[in-house]
Amino acid sequence: MKPNSITGACLALALLLPMPLHAEEDRSSDIAALEKAATGFVAAYNKKDAAAIAALFAENGEIADLKGDDIASGRADVQARYEAIFAAPDAPSIAIEVSSVRFVGDGLAIEDGTAHLTPPSGNAPPRSFAYTAMLQKDGRGGWKIASTRDLGEDTGPAGRLAGLASMLTGEWTARKDGLRLDLAFGWDDSGEFLSGEMLATAADAPPQTTTIRIGWDAARKVIVWWTFDDKGGFSKGHWTPVDDGWLIRTEGTSAEGEATSATQQLSFENKDTFTWKARDRIVDGEQLPDAEWRVVRQVPEPSAE
């Protein structure tokens, strides 16, 4: 879905938020009219009523991308654009942050803000887009959307990781063939990375701890993780969303200097259970058997009370 297809849809929601005004002017009637338009938009959007949304635009109102290459001009085109949005199975929900609304002339206002789009599936992270919009006052005291323009994607690292964080955050455990794994994930102090730790324990071997850091590679546009074990080994891998979870291709080096690689897949049954499969496991040129774990969320310890 194209970002600018959503920007116009976000506008009326944004108008529900408080707006900075010039102290010397009383804009209370304008604010009331904008809020009324916003209420109408929310009702129309929830009903997937493209015609009602198009009616909120000026007769020649438009939705455009940054370069002006993709423009929906006029209510008929705007309605068609929204019909396409609502027909898509992955139509997102919307949240808005408004940075400013400025009344710049007789019956004209400019709004700047950011639209946050959350897909219906938790597999993909939310995305954010900066936008600017021009509104014009109609002859009956109301306001119409004259133009909206997408200014480009503005999703930060935390936003890119939000979908994954909603699935992974918490404490997990798995047991198989005498080996126990305990994992914990949460946001680090910066709020821009996910931080994790895995403890592997077995009766016939000393425990091993692996620290995990998950972030956003802005150059390659992928989620990436780094793992470091307490023996001195490390690895790096890219995460790819799939239908029921994530696929991770990892390469690294053991503490002994051996090259390692594996393809891992996390498949979520529900919010408390996922399957962790590892295949194509290579250590120093030798292929290891595939492995599979069923990982469950740990039940909190009962309180002293």
Side-chain angles (χ1 to χ4, degrees):
M1 182 179 299
K2 295 180 179 179
N4 61 295
S5 299
I6 300 298
T7 304
C10 301
L11 177 63
L13 285 176
L15 300 177
L16 288 171
L17 302 178
M19 301 178 187
L21 301 178
H22 296 293
E24 68 273 12
E25 291 189 76
D26 179 9
R27 294 287 190 178
S28 57
S29 60
D30 290 327
I31 296 299
L34 291 170
E35 290 177 345
K36 181 178 179 180
T39 301
F41 173 84
V42 171
Y45 192 92
N46 289 339
K47 294 178 182 178
K48 294 182 170 54
D49 189 341
I53 293 178
L56 298 174
F57 280 73
E59 184 175 351
N60 295 319
E62 66 175 25
I63 302 173
D65 64 2
L66 179 59
K67 295 181 179 180
D69 296 331
D70 181 26
I71 299 177
S73 182
R75 288 176 181 160
D77 282 356
V78 169
Q79 179 173 336
R81 179 69 62 92
Y82 280 102
E83 287 172 347
I85 293 172
F86 295 146
D90 59 347
S93 59
I94 302 168
I96 291 292
E97 289 183 65
V98 178
S99 57
S100 68
V101 173
R102 308 182 306 281
F103 294 94
V104 294
D106 185 15
L108 293 175
I110 297 176
E111 174 183 313
D112 296 303
T114 305
H116 304 289
L117 313 180
T118 301
S121 169
N123 292 344
R127 302 175 67 188
S128 301
F129 298 90
Y131 71 90
T132 187
M134 173 72 75
L135 299 96
Q136 67 182 45
K137 200 170 185 178
D138 63 22
R140 298 179 296 278
W143 287 80
K144 298 294 186 183
I145 303 167
S147 177
T148 66
R149 189 171 293 268
D150 166 48
L151 300 182
E153 188 158 0
D154 192 31
T155 305
R160 300 287 191 174
L161 298 176
L164 178 59
S166 68
M167 304 169 79
L168 275 187
T169 298
E171 298 182 348
W172 305 83
T173 189
R175 301 185 186 190
K176 184 177 182 181
D177 299 331
L179 178 64
R180 171 171 174 163
L181 303 179
D182 291 296
L183 303 96
F185 290 94
W187 292 103
D188 76 346
D189 292 340
S190 73
E192 302 294 350
F193 293 89
L194 288 176
S195 179
E197 184 172 285
M198 181 176 71
L199 174 64
T201 54
D204 59 352
Q208 179 171 312
T209 300
T210 300
T211 58
I212 302 167
R213 195 168 179 84
I214 304 175
W216 173 251
D217 186 331
R220 295 177 174 82
K221 309 298 184 185
V222 294
I223 292 175
V224 63
W225 76 344
W226 301 264
T227 70
F228 307 89
D229 66 53
D230 58 9
K231 306 299 182 184
F234 61 90
S235 66
K236 179 181 179 180
H238 293 167
W239 291 57
T240 302
V242 293
D243 288 342
D244 59 353
W246 297 84
L247 191 68
I248 315 163
R249 179 63 183 172
T250 302
E251 295 182 349
T253 304
S254 72
E256 291 75 25
E258 302 164 318
T260 66
S261 63
T263 300
Q264 304 176 63
Q265 184 167 350
L266 307 185
S267 300
F268 283 79
E269 298 177 20
N270 51 56
K271 66 182 182 64
D272 296 321
T273 308
F274 67 87
T275 301
W276 181 6
K277 298 179 181 179
R279 65 178 190 270
D280 305 326
R281 299 197 299 159
I282 306 294
V283 177
D284 198 25
E286 179 181 351
Q287 184 165 357
L288 303 183
D290 294 349
E292 182 174 328
W293 296 79
R294 189 170 186 270
V295 186
V296 298
R297 192 179 296 276
Q298 291 192 26
V299 178
E301 295 290 338
S303 66
E305 298 177 357

